[in-house]
Amino acid sequence: MEPSLVSHADGSVERFLHIPYDQRWERLKSTIIQICIEDDSRIPQLAKRMKEQYSFDARPHQYLYQFKNAVVSTLGKHRLVSSTSDATLHEGGYEKALAKKTLKQHIYQSIRQSKPPSWNAGILLRHNVPYSALLCSLGDSPPQDASSPGTGPPTPQYLTVNNNQGGGSPSSSNNAISPTMQPVQKKESLDRATLFIESRMEELMTRITSEERESIITWLHDFWMYSFMTAKYWGRGPKIWTPSLINLKCPSDEQLDPELCRWTIHYVNNIDYEYPPSSSPEDHEQSEEQFDIEDESTWTEWHRGDDRLEKDNFSTVQTLPMAADLVMKTTLGIAIMSRNLESVWSVLGFSNYEGYPDLVSPILPFHLAAEYLDGGRSCSNSIGINCVDGLGHTVLDTLLVTILRSHSTAPPRVLGDSFIGQSRFYGQEVDPCGRWDADSPCIRHLYASGEQTIPREWKHAFCHTSVQATCHTIAVIFQNTQRPDINVPSGLFTSRCSRHGCKLVVGPLHALVLTAFYLAQFGCPGETLFGMVSCLVCLLVYRADPCATAEVSVSAIFGHDTADDECRHQQVNPAELARQAGPEILDAWTPEARLGWNTLIALLEHDIALRRRKRMYLERKAGSTEDGSDVDVNLTSNKASEEEMCEHKDHKEERYFRMKNIYCGNQQLGRIWATTQAELLTYRRLTAHDSWLSARFRMQDIVDGLKKSDDTYLDRLVDGTRDTEGYSLKDHSRCGFFFDVQNSGCVRREEACNAYYGNLDDFGRTTFVEAKPAYY
């Protein structure tokens, strides 16, 4: 008997020929299901009949894709279903059991033909918050309707699934999983892992229940904490960081001092020392019970070689509803985030150097190191090159984000279109001036209480520890043979023209100016912008171009945008951009912030004017626009002599490697850079009542010296005053680098100062880091 299919009043069959082909699938779905159930039609016969009677031309594999995928995903949702016999098809009064053999074949074929997932770099590294903090970031409790996150996909009307109501799991003895359901659940686990790896978290949440979501997030957080603790304390202390041991080491009731920070001091190890032989594994097993978990001085070293991340005993979650083997390959990233170079090299090993790029590239290791910058304990030892991630962000961009994240209350959205929708900054659980770490009790207590952002009262101004780590990082990036282009466009503060839709991209110094602007706007009490001045001088010394222009919507940035769609972007250099911040903005800032802003502008405008005069001189001399950045043209003479060329040893290295790293065309800039390094090496704010700057460094002298072209003001910075008796610097080059140093990018105090006059004697807040030579 002909089935009662969708038809017109005259009895003719409705074919839906008036709508697009893709939409006909949904309209003809009930017809397809009814034919399949009533006539027991196989897919080839079904395809033939649909083509002849309904003019619907589809291949058999298309029916399999549309029909079986819906069945598989629905069965995968029902984790208590132990057999496909619990599911039946029904339509138009007819009912039919699933074709188990065909369904099984389809699943295995789908698994074989599926493409490898596209790994979203670092996705596993982002899950470092517990479930309570994640719920806070979602805003509300999980919704309860069928299509909402945490409840799984809706079951099609033509499919009935009888869940196991016996209370046992499908794997229990009374509810063993059938041979057909095994590949169903395998396919579902693989699909979930793929969604996770590709960072399609919202879609993943729609395919799992609330209990499964809590299990996944809890497992991922436990894995992150276990990996972090193992990497941070690699080589000593506990071999296995169990949840109870982590809780014992990191209690959640410790109060944080929100004012004071730590610092690092670099030293040269000139002592020859013969290390005693390592203890045997048996000795370690005996000593492991003897150390005090709260006293790291009692911890003993343990033998390398155990692959601890292969042991899934770090979490209280016993069964992970995902294919865990696909998400366990992030050990190196965790080691970098821990800032423990020993654990980084232990992960990499030394036997397969050629395979390093394939191993490290997907996790963007240098971005991670900049994101987890820690000037209080490890400085900048993990960072190498200024590569660009998938969003166009350079490592220098990541440093600027770390500055704004750590020393202001600016929301992520101010950093550009790529940050819209981001509720918190990544890496915030590590403070760049060393006041807290990811395993600090205060952070664990904060996240456990449901908070997902660092409180305002924990933050303070851009301090010397953070500034020094940032400048050291810039030096490591741009002072080696792998030096990238320092003037590559920034990925921060990007936007689009409201009228033409063109993308507006800024340069690195534009990004620095805008970071300084938001640091002043959203900064902490006492902010002087000394840190941004230091970063600017450092970048200029390493050949950042202040003359480079970029298309910027100035009115939108500084709050003057209107509702019309008129083009308001213009080509400006960094100094012109900074000048656009009008009195109505600057008057709301503190005097210290305004002075810092004026110092930025003075430095940029002075160097731009000097470069332009130099270019004009060269054009007149050679009739070309050749780069003469190493020729000093202060217009005190009409030519540049050999005696005026800088003789610092780094230039010899540059000539040997045929590269240019350092800018020597501005002697005033060099003097400021030398004084800045001395300030960072000799002063810290020891109490909450101390100044953020020492009496030896006055930014007003920089402004006056540059604007008035009077070097006597800069002499005060270099040679000191009566109020700073005993202060003097060692000889330095015209580019601001000290002579007779091991590494000019990371100079030590005794290499820069003639006498000791610093205040970094609080060794309880000091970490001593062995100085490394420059990497040429």
Side-chain angles (χ1 to χ4, degrees):
M1 182 178 68
E2 186 72 18
S4 55
L5 304 175
V6 178
S7 60
H8 294 287
D10 59 3
S12 60
V13 177
E14 174 61 80
R15 301 180 181 182
F16 302 104
L17 298 176
H18 60 288
I19 63 175
Y21 176 82
D22 290 343
Q23 298 179 17
R24 294 181 69 196
W25 280 104
E26 185 65 27
R27 298 294 184 92
L28 292 171
K29 181 170 62 177
S30 60
T31 300
I32 294 171
I33 296 298
Q34 189 169 343
I35 292 176
C36 184
I37 294 177
E38 179 192 352
D39 291 353
D40 197 19
S41 299
R42 296 186 179 275
I43 296 299
Q45 288 79 13
L46 172 64
K48 180 179 180 181
R49 182 173 174 181
M50 290 299 298
K51 180 178 180 180
E52 293 175 349
Q53 296 186 8
Y54 297 90
S55 299
F56 186 67
D57 190 5
R59 302 288 184 180
H61 71 271
Q62 292 177 281
Y63 286 97
L64 286 171
Y65 178 84
Q66 294 286 339
F67 173 64
K68 293 181 180 178
N69 272 5
V71 173
V72 171
S73 62
T74 301
L75 290 175
K77 159 196 169 181
H78 296 272
R79 306 293 287 183
L80 293 180
V81 174
S82 58
S83 172
T84 52
S85 300
D86 296 326
T88 56
L89 298 170
H90 57 88
E91 183 69 33
Y94 295 92
E95 185 173 299
K96 181 182 179 180
L98 295 177
K100 300 181 180 180
K101 182 178 179 179
T102 305
L103 184 62
K104 190 174 180 179
Q105 290 175 346
H106 164 71
I107 295 172
Y108 281 124
Q109 182 180 7
S110 176
I111 293 176
R112 288 193 302 269
Q113 295 180 351
S114 60
K115 296 181 180 179
S118 177
W119 179 265
N120 185 298
I123 179 61
L124 191 60
L125 307 178
R126 302 303 188 192
H127 292 271
N128 54 356
V129 296
Y131 186 61
S132 56
L134 177 67
L135 287 183
C136 178
S137 67
L138 296 177
D140 299 307
S141 299
Q144 299 300 320
D145 60 277
S147 61
S148 300
T151 59
T155 302
Q157 296 181 355
Y158 57 81
L159 183 64
T160 300
V161 179
N162 298 317
N163 281 329
N164 179 0
Q165 301 298 329
S169 66
S171 59
S172 63
S173 58
N174 296 328
N175 300 281
I177 301 177
S178 69
T180 307
M181 277 302 297
Q182 291 176 9
V184 169
Q185 294 197 3
K186 179 180 180 180
K187 176 68 165 55
E188 178 65 15
S189 293
L190 290 172
D191 288 346
R192 293 179 178 186
T194 298
L195 292 175
F196 173 79
I197 288 173
E198 295 179 350
S199 194
R200 295 153 61 186
M201 295 302 296
E202 291 185 3
E203 188 175 349
L204 172 62
M205 291 300 130
T206 66
R207 298 184 65 155
I208 59 179
T209 66
S210 58
E211 292 80 7
E212 289 174 328
R213 176 168 59 182
E214 183 173 2
S215 296
I216 290 176
I217 299 302
T218 301
W219 187 93
L220 291 172
H221 172 257
D222 291 344
F223 168 76
W224 193 95
M225 279 303 304
Y226 165 80
S227 304
F228 181 86
M229 298 289 283
T230 300
K232 180 177 179 179
Y233 300 108
W234 182 269
R236 59 194 180 93
K239 296 170 63 177
I240 302 296
W241 285 94
T242 61
S244 59
L245 202 57
I246 292 175
N247 290 331
L248 185 62
K249 169 65 176 173
C250 312
S252 60
D253 57 354
E254 181 175 305
Q255 298 298 317
L256 174 74
D257 182 352
E259 293 291 338
L260 308 178
C261 55
R262 298 176 54 87
W263 52 82
T264 57
I265 294 179
H266 293 80
Y267 71 96
V268 174
N269 186 3
N270 295 321
I271 301 175
D272 293 330
Y273 177 74
E274 183 178 349
Y275 290 91
S278 301
S279 59
S280 65
E282 292 77 12
D283 294 336
H284 172 73
E285 293 295 340
Q286 295 174 357
S287 62
E288 186 178 36
E289 298 179 357
Q290 299 175 4
F291 60 66
D292 182 356
I293 191 62
E294 298 180 359
D295 184 3
E296 296 182 22
S297 65
T298 65
W299 294 8
T300 56
E301 292 188 0
W302 41 258
H303 278 258
R304 280 71 168 166
D306 293 337
D307 192 357
R308 289 163 175 77
L309 294 184
E310 293 297 325
K311 301 178 181 180
D312 190 2
N313 61 353
F314 54 84
S315 177
T316 56
V317 176
Q318 299 299 316
T319 303
L320 181 69
M322 286 175 54
D325 58 321
L326 295 181
V327 294
M328 286 281 288
K329 309 301 180 182
T330 190
T331 311
L332 177 60
I334 297 289
I336 292 173
M337 294 159 74
S338 74
R339 293 92 62 210
N340 184 346
L341 284 182
E342 183 179 354
S343 66
V344 173
W345 289 115
S346 295
V347 173
L348 288 174
F350 295 92
S351 59
N352 186 25
Y353 183 82
E354 294 180 355
Y356 284 178
D358 293 336
L359 173 64
V360 304
S361 295
I363 64 171
L364 298 170
F366 304 120
H367 288 78
L368 274 180
E371 197 170 86
Y372 285 82
L373 188 69
D374 181 7
R377 291 182 172 86
S378 61
C379 201
S380 59
N381 291 330
S382 299
I383 301 178
I385 58 176
N386 193 37
C387 56
V388 181
D389 68 10
L391 295 174
H393 299 154
T394 64
V395 177
L396 180 58
D397 290 338
T398 306
L399 285 174
L400 296 178
V401 174
T402 300
I403 293 170
L404 205 60
R405 174 201 82 200
S406 306
H407 303 289
S408 80
T409 58
R413 65 176 182 275
V414 305
L415 290 165
D417 292 348
S418 59
F419 289 84
I420 294 176
Q422 185 173 314
S423 59
R424 70 183 183 98
F425 285 108
Y426 298 124
Q428 64 177 3
E429 50 279 341
V430 173
D431 181 50
C433 50
R435 294 184 298 149
W436 63 79
D437 206 341
D439 63 334
S440 297
C442 58
I443 287 292
R444 286 176 53 79
H445 175 74
L446 181 74
Y447 285 164
S449 64
E451 296 295 330
Q452 60 154 346
T453 58
I454 300 299
R456 178 189 181 96
E457 56 270 18
W458 286 20
K459 301 182 179 183
H460 65 202
F462 191 13
C463 62
H464 283 33
T465 294
S466 188
V467 176
Q468 186 178 48
T470 304
C471 291
H472 283 176
T473 299
I474 293 172
V476 171
I477 295 174
F478 298 109
Q479 193 181 4
N480 58 68
T481 55
Q482 302 298 320
R483 169 193 169 99
D485 181 7
I486 195 172
N487 295 302
V488 67
S490 171
L492 300 180
F493 306 106
T494 58
S495 60
R496 291 193 177 274
C497 172
S498 58
R499 183 174 184 180
H500 298 105
C502 56
K503 189 175 183 179
L504 307 179
V505 180
V506 302
L509 293 185
H510 297 82
L512 182 141
V513 167
L514 293 174
T515 302
F517 170 76
Y518 287 114
L519 193 63
Q521 283 282 87
F522 297 95
C524 300
E527 180 59 59
T528 65
L529 296 186
F530 162 78
M532 300 310 300
V533 170
S534 302
C535 293
L536 172 62
V537 175
C538 185
L539 287 172
L540 290 174
V541 166
Y542 284 107
R543 291 182 171 272
D545 185 4
C547 300
T549 60
E551 287 280 353
V552 179
S553 179
V554 175
S555 58
I557 291 174
F558 294 117
H560 305 305
D561 210 4
T562 59
D564 57 42
D565 59 352
E566 181 181 352
C567 285
R568 296 184 178 274
H569 51 87
Q570 54 186 298
Q571 284 276 354
V572 294
N573 62 40
E576 293 167 340
L577 174 61
R579 281 291 184 191
Q580 297 297 321
E584 68 281 1
I585 295 177
L586 301 183
D587 289 347
W589 295 357
T590 63
E592 294 81 7
R594 285 198 299 270
L595 176 58
W597 186 254
N598 290 332
T599 306
L600 283 172
I601 295 176
L603 284 164
L604 288 167
E605 291 183 339
H606 177 268
D607 199 48
I608 289 172
L610 192 62
R611 289 169 185 255
R612 287 175 176 172
R613 294 202 305 265
K614 183 188 310 180
R615 186 167 56 247
M616 292 172 60
Y617 168 77
L618 291 173
E619 289 174 354
R620 289 196 305 267
K621 180 180 178 181
S624 65
T625 58
E626 297 179 9
D627 180 15
S629 56
D630 284 337
V631 181
D632 180 38
V633 183
N634 287 307
L635 299 188
T636 56
S637 63
N638 57 6
K639 68 177 182 178
S641 65
E642 290 296 329
E643 289 76 19
E644 292 174 326
M645 298 294 292
C646 181
E647 291 298 330
H648 192 272
K649 69 172 185 177
D650 283 6
H651 293 301
K652 298 179 182 179
E653 301 285 352
E654 289 180 331
R655 288 190 287 271
Y656 177 80
F657 288 104
R658 297 181 180 181
M659 57 192 298
K660 290 184 177 182
N661 287 348
I662 301 171
Y663 169 60
C664 285
N666 187 338
Q667 187 170 4
Q668 289 84 357
L669 182 70
R671 302 183 77 186
I672 296 170
W673 176 231
T675 309
T676 300
Q677 294 177 81
E679 170 73 7
L680 295 174
L681 289 167
T682 59
Y683 182 76
R684 289 298 184 273
R685 183 172 179 259
L686 298 181
T687 71
H689 304 290
D690 291 341
S691 169
W692 290 102
L693 280 173
S694 74
R696 297 180 292 272
F697 196 96
R698 297 179 66 252
M699 284 199 285
Q700 188 62 52
D701 286 340
I702 297 177
V703 176
D704 293 340
L706 296 179
K707 286 188 173 182
K708 299 177 182 180
S709 298
D710 187 348
D711 284 352
T712 59
Y713 290 96
L714 300 182
D715 291 341
R716 298 177 185 175
L717 289 175
V718 177
D719 300 326
T721 64
R722 292 181 180 178
D723 297 331
T724 58
E725 186 175 356
Y727 167 80
S728 64
L729 303 183
K730 290 190 174 181
D731 292 339
H732 57 83
S733 66
R734 60 184 295 104
C735 51
F737 289 96
F738 293 93
F739 295 112
D740 194 22
V741 298
Q742 181 191 37
N743 182 351
S744 58
C746 185
V747 65
R748 291 176 286 117
R749 193 271 311 161
E750 54 269 28
E751 296 172 328
C753 305
N754 282 315
Y756 180 73
Y757 50 84
N759 68 343
L760 282 70
D761 296 330
D762 186 348
F763 297 146
R765 293 160 61 183
T766 304
T767 299
F768 292 92
V769 178
E770 185 174 359
K772 303 295 182 181
Y775 295 99
Y776 279 102

